[in-house]
Amino acid sequence: FATKHETTELCIVGSSDPTTGGSLLSRASGTDAWTERGLPVLEFQLLRALCARAQEEANSPSTVRGCVATKQLARDLPFQSKYANEENVRQVVRRLRVQLSELGVEAILAVAPGRGYYLASPVTIAGSDRR
């Protein structure tokens, strides 16, 4: 998945295995060189879930398109505990926001109170024209 937030482009790269981490590539818009940062399993899977939902709902007129409910994330993310809850999701969101903040794109991960989390910029499939 790829997205652009303000002046930074991001590309999320990893396998389809829901129990593994992946990489987050970033670069300033208009440049060629990518910087790679490894993401732990939960942070990567959270970002991947949000990208997938954003891609599925790309044509939705909603301003919070791609929103994934916190309870659903608690069920779907590969937490070690089978009793994961919304607080576990919030902890992963905080850790991912730290990673994104270091890249200058912390505002890309947004929350719709009572609804869940979403990405505040359009998401595409990297290497394709599909939106």
Side-chain angles (χ1 to χ4, degrees), residues 25-45:
L25 306 178
S26 64
R27 68 179 176 190
S29 296
T31 62
D32 291 331
W34 291 94
T35 300
E36 182 175 353
R37 159 184 306 255
L39 290 177
V41 175
L42 290 170
E43 288 84 340
F44 174 75
Q45 295 300 330

Side-chain angles (χ1 to χ4, degrees), residues 1-122:
F1 296 104
T3 187
K4 179 181 175 186
H5 189 70
E6 297 173 358
T7 60
T8 304
E9 295 177 44
L10 300 174
C11 185
I12 296 88
V13 181
S15 80
S16 59
D17 182 346
T19 63
T20 62
S23 295
L24 177 61
L25 306 178
S26 64
R27 68 179 176 190
S29 296
T31 62
D32 291 331
W34 291 94
T35 300
E36 182 175 353
R37 159 184 306 255
L39 290 177
V41 175
L42 290 170
E43 288 84 340
F44 174 75
Q45 295 300 330
L46 170 62
L47 191 53
R48 192 172 98 172
L50 296 175
C51 285
R53 180 65 61 86
Q55 179 63 40
E56 289 169 9
E57 297 182 1
N59 294 322
S60 169
S62 173
T63 57
V64 292
R65 72 178 149 262
C67 193
V68 181
T70 308
K71 287 181 182 182
Q72 180 180 347
L73 290 168
R75 284 190 309 268
D76 294 348
L77 294 178
F79 288 103
Q80 290 182 356
S81 169
K82 61 181 176 178
Y83 302 108
N85 60 32
E86 294 177 18
E87 181 55 33
N88 297 105
V89 173
R90 282 191 283 277
Q91 291 172 5
V92 176
V93 167
R94 279 193 288 275
R95 292 193 307 260
L96 181 56
R97 281 188 170 143
V98 167
Q99 297 265 347
L100 294 170
S101 177
E102 291 170 359
L103 300 173
V105 293
E106 62 275 359
I108 194 171
L109 182 52
V111 63
R115 291 195 53 204
Y117 296 93
Y118 66 99
L119 294 177
S121 60

